[in-house]
Amino acid sequence: MENFGTNAALITAVLMNYFNGIYNGDVPLLQSVFHPQAIIGFDLNGETHFKTVNQYLEGVKNRKSPQELGEEFKMKILSLEIINNTAVAKVQVPIFEYNYYDLLSLIVVDGKWVISNKLATKVN
C-alpha cells in the first residue's frame, strides 16, 4: 500500500466518517466504515457485551443522535499505529454524558481501509 503519511490520512478520513456517523446518527455513513463481518465488544460497568455490526447500526438507527440532542462534538483521535495493511486507532467518544474510549482495528480490504473490530469502554 502507500506510505505511512498517505495511510494515516486515509485512516483519519475513515475515523472522521466514524465520528460523524455516530454524532449525526448517519447509519449509511457509519456502515461504510465497517467491514460487514465486524464485531463490536463493549465493557460497560464491568459487564462484557458483543454485537454484530448490524446490531450496532440498528441501535444507532433507533436512538436520538448526539447532534439532535444538541451535544457538542468532542470526538478525537488519541493515537494511531499502522503496520503494513493493518492499523489500531485509540479514539475518545464523549457522548450521552459518558466518556467512551474505543480501540478500533482497521484493515485494508479491496484497497480500502475499514474497521474490522471495535472495543469500547465507558470511563465515567
Side-chain angles (χ1 to χ4, degrees), residues 51-66:
K51 293 182 178 184
T52 65
V53 70
N54 288 333
Q55 290 169 323
Y56 170 70
L57 294 171
E58 191 66 24
V60 171
K61 178 179 158 186
N62 292 318
R63 65 156 167 80
K64 286 197 178 247
S65 71

Side-chain angles (χ1 to χ4, degrees), residues 35-51:
H35 187 274
Q37 295 176 339
I39 296 295
I40 289 82
F42 295 90
D43 166 36
L44 299 176
N45 303 319
E47 293 184 25
T48 304
H49 305 273
F50 289 96
K51 293 182 178 184

